[in-house]
Amino acid sequence: MSASQKIHFEISERKILLRFIDIFLTIFVLALIGHYFQFDYFRVSQSNFYWTIVLAIYLLFFGTIFEMYNLQTASNRFQIPKSIILTTSTTVLFYLLTPFFTPQLPSNRLQIIVFFFSIFISLSIWRYFYIVFLASNNFMKKVLFVGSSKDVDDLVAELARFNPHYKVVGYISIDEDSDDAKLNKVSEEDLDFFVNHHYISEIVVANTKNKIISIAFYNKLLRLLEKGIVIRKYNQVYEYSTYRLPIHFEDRELYKFFPFSRSNQNKLYIYSSRLFDIVFSLFGLFIFLLLTPFLWAINLFANKGSFFYTQERVGKNGIPFTIYKMRTMIQNAEENGAVFASTNDSRITPFGKLLRKTRLDELPQFINVLKGDMAIIGPRPERSFFVEQIAASIPLYQTRHVVKPGLTGWAQVNYPYGANLEDSLMKLRYDLYYIKHRSLFLDINVFVKTMSTVLFFRGQ
């Protein structure tokens, strides 16, 4: 590796590294303890290789739920200990409770304690090493921006909130006589020197809005591309870093965001998703039936009024349907007209807040899923009143109706309740990202994030 190319990790590379070392180091430590000490519960061998696979699956699954692979959490020495404790505890508990796929419970209960602390210490040592060394500035990706000096600060700040390892060290302005940005301004003549001196690994070209880049500057970019410097459009970087589409109020050209996911027309994906919806809805309704007597009794005293609540929502292809929910607001909450629900809405009752935090209020919607009005995962259905109001300001808003609305969705696990048009635009960016990249992997991601939302009481 040349001196001009310092080490950096992409977001996906960092997450892969975190997952790989979590599994490798944990199993390695358990193997060492089993070899040198009287620890018989977990043995790494060819005959019992599936024990190792099950442990790896549990670690990855619960690690994802408890945000072990969220880069902001992974880089924070105050947040990661909680994630390690929760991941270790849940992994060990489920490992002990699934004896058909894991070793039988040891007669010496001390071995369970050794098993727990082996995993806990392995994860703690590796994650502390990651924070001190790999999450430091030496491993940041250094980037040069090309764009308008009026917009560059806002664009850079937006990326920095989502990717803590993405460092923009300068920019080249396409404005003729403007120097409004706080970043280090670089002239076209100094481009090659700046790239080499600051170890730039990527150049991001922001939306130039019909401004012409000179042929001389284009040729310089081409030579840097030939040398291995990555050059990408800002829209591409934004989508990759934030997991949402960079649409704005005035955008009308849907073709700019094509191609949408092939899964939207893939029969195998559609049928398997529907089968999952039916099976999971039946399970969800069974849980709801078990909880209904207790919830109804609490509602009788703490949330006086009707237990259920129905409302018309807009479904796939703009077709309206009736949605079922547990009531979380006071009676006649909208007697003065419909308004957006907000994070600290005064109309929500104390018991309603608990229902929303735990997402229990949405359990009756499994009926809608069974009927086919909704799916488990998709954009949340909105009321026709708000759809018309929002679509008047955001032309692309109706695009979210090309798929079934969902019980949970990519926007719901990434953004809180929308209280205004700005929030609606932000949630639409996430919804369209889901529609564009819809896949089994993304569905699993939404499902796991939803479980994390429920366990950490992050519902709104």
Side-chain angles (χ1 to χ4, degrees):
M1 181 177 293
S2 64
S4 62
Q5 293 180 310
K6 295 187 77 173
I7 296 174
H8 71 269
F9 296 108
E10 295 281 358
I11 296 180
S12 57
E13 291 170 345
R14 286 179 179 270
K15 290 183 177 181
I16 291 172
L17 179 69
L18 288 171
R19 286 180 167 91
F20 176 78
I21 302 298
D22 279 354
I23 295 171
F24 174 79
L25 189 60
T26 298
I27 294 174
F28 179 72
V29 169
L30 286 170
L32 283 181
I33 293 175
H35 182 74
Y36 290 104
F37 299 95
Q38 292 183 345
F39 177 67
D40 301 321
Y41 176 63
F42 184 92
R43 289 282 185 179
V44 179
S45 64
Q46 292 182 350
S47 60
N48 296 323
F49 69 94
Y50 56 90
W51 291 356
T52 305
I53 295 174
V54 172
L55 179 61
I57 292 173
Y58 284 170
L59 269 177
L60 293 178
F61 181 72
F62 293 115
T64 303
I65 290 178
F66 296 118
E67 302 183 336
M68 291 279 285
Y69 308 111
N70 178 304
L71 292 184
Q72 284 79 11
T73 301
S75 302
N76 190 311
R77 67 183 66 214
F78 300 106
Q79 294 180 3
I80 197 62
K82 180 181 74 172
S83 295
I84 293 174
I85 292 172
L86 289 172
T87 299
T88 304
S89 302
T90 312
T91 297
V92 170
L93 177 63
F94 272 77
Y95 200 80
L96 293 172
L97 295 177
T98 51
F100 291 106
F101 307 101
T102 57
Q104 292 184 350
L105 291 176
S107 57
N108 184 358
R109 297 296 185 260
L110 181 63
Q111 299 222 358
I112 297 177
I113 298 176
V114 174
F115 183 60
F116 174 88
F117 279 102
S118 297
I119 298 175
F120 175 75
I121 293 172
S122 301
L123 294 177
S124 299
I125 292 174
W126 152 233
R127 291 314 187 96
Y128 184 76
F129 176 88
Y130 174 82
I131 290 172
V132 173
F133 296 102
L134 301 187
S136 65
N137 291 336
N138 291 330
F139 289 87
M140 282 190 171
K141 173 184 280 190
K142 295 187 177 180
V143 181
L144 176 68
F145 252 58
V146 176
S148 171
S149 58
K150 298 178 182 178
D151 303 327
V152 67
D153 285 332
D154 292 336
L155 298 179
V156 170
E158 185 76 12
L159 292 179
R161 285 199 293 270
F162 287 87
N163 189 349
H165 310 295
Y166 201 87
K167 184 177 181 181
V168 180
V169 296
Y171 81 103
I172 294 178
S173 176
I174 59 173
D175 301 320
E176 294 181 358
D177 298 309
S178 180
D179 191 15
D180 300 329
K182 300 175 184 177
L183 287 169
N184 184 20
K185 186 176 181 179
V186 182
S187 66
E188 293 184 17
E189 293 76 19
D190 295 332
L191 176 60
D192 290 329
F193 173 79
F194 189 86
V195 167
N196 292 325
H197 182 72
H198 291 275
Y199 307 108
I200 300 297
S201 58
E202 184 172 305
I203 296 175
V204 175
V205 181
N207 185 7
T208 57
K209 296 181 180 179
N210 300 322
K211 295 187 178 181
I212 299 175
I213 296 177
S214 68
I215 295 177
F217 182 52
Y218 175 82
N219 288 332
K220 284 189 175 183
L221 291 178
L222 185 60
R223 285 195 296 271
L224 290 173
L225 181 64
E226 292 170 346
K227 292 180 180 179
I229 303 298
V230 177
I231 300 178
R232 296 197 289 173
K233 290 182 64 177
Y234 175 78
N235 287 359
Q236 180 187 5
V237 176
Y238 179 93
E239 184 176 336
Y240 181 80
S241 299
T242 65
Y243 302 105
R244 61 192 189 211
L245 296 190
I247 65 171
H248 300 88
F249 282 108
E250 68 277 5
D251 284 333
R252 296 177 182 272
E253 298 85 4
L254 188 62
Y255 66 85
K256 292 194 301 185
F257 308 104
F258 280 161
F260 276 0
S261 173
R262 292 182 180 179
S263 295
N264 295 312
Q265 287 79 39
N266 186 313
K267 295 297 183 182
L268 178 61
Y269 171 79
I270 293 172
Y271 291 146
S272 60
S273 295
R274 181 58 184 156
L275 178 62
F276 170 77
D277 289 344
I278 293 172
V279 172
F280 196 81
S281 294
L282 291 173
F283 176 75
L285 286 174
F286 174 72
I287 299 298
F288 179 58
L289 289 174
L290 293 179
L291 295 176
T292 295
F294 304 100
L295 296 175
W296 181 82
I298 297 174
N299 180 84
L300 195 63
F301 296 99
N303 199 24
K304 296 179 180 179
S306 59
F307 184 54
F308 289 107
Y309 180 68
T310 61
Q311 197 175 67
E312 186 178 273
R313 298 288 177 95
V314 179
K316 184 179 180 181
N317 300 325
I319 300 173
F321 69 97
T322 300
I323 196 172
Y324 305 99
K325 294 187 69 175
M326 291 176 61
R327 185 177 59 84
T328 59
M329 291 188 176
I330 59 174
Q331 293 281 101
N332 302 317
E334 293 187 334
E335 58 184 357
N336 296 322
V339 294
F340 282 112
S342 58
T343 302
N344 296 311
D345 201 318
S346 59
R347 299 172 299 167
I348 302 175
T349 66
F351 181 54
K353 290 182 180 179
L354 175 63
L355 292 176
R356 290 192 176 209
K357 286 288 184 183
T358 57
R359 296 286 182 93
L360 289 173
D361 63 312
E362 296 176 355
L363 286 177
Q365 290 171 43
F366 283 120
I367 299 173
N368 292 111
V369 177
L370 277 180
K371 291 172 62 179
D373 298 327
M374 296 173 60
I376 296 296
I377 298 169
R380 285 293 294 163
E382 191 52 87
R383 298 162 64 181
S384 58
F385 174 83
F386 291 128
V387 169
E388 294 173 3
Q389 187 182 66
I390 297 169
S393 300
I394 311 174
L396 291 180
Y397 190 77
Q398 298 279 14
T399 310
R400 66 202 296 273
H401 297 140
V402 301
V403 298
K404 280 185 183 181
L407 189 64
T408 184
W410 189 237
Q412 273 55 51
V413 297
N414 285 287
Y415 200 79
Y417 261 108
N420 50 47
L421 285 175
E422 289 286 348
D423 290 334
S424 296
L425 175 63
M426 189 62 72
K427 298 192 81 168
L428 179 61
R429 289 169 176 165
Y430 284 110
D431 284 335
L432 293 187
Y433 178 92
Y434 172 78
I435 295 172
K436 180 177 181 179
H437 297 279
R438 193 179 179 202
S439 65
L440 177 62
F441 176 78
L442 187 55
D443 286 344
I444 293 173
N445 201 344
V446 174
F447 184 76
V448 171
K449 281 179 175 286
T450 300
M451 294 183 66
S452 179
T453 299
V454 172
L455 290 172
F456 285 118
F457 293 89
R458 289 176 182 156
Q460 299 291 335

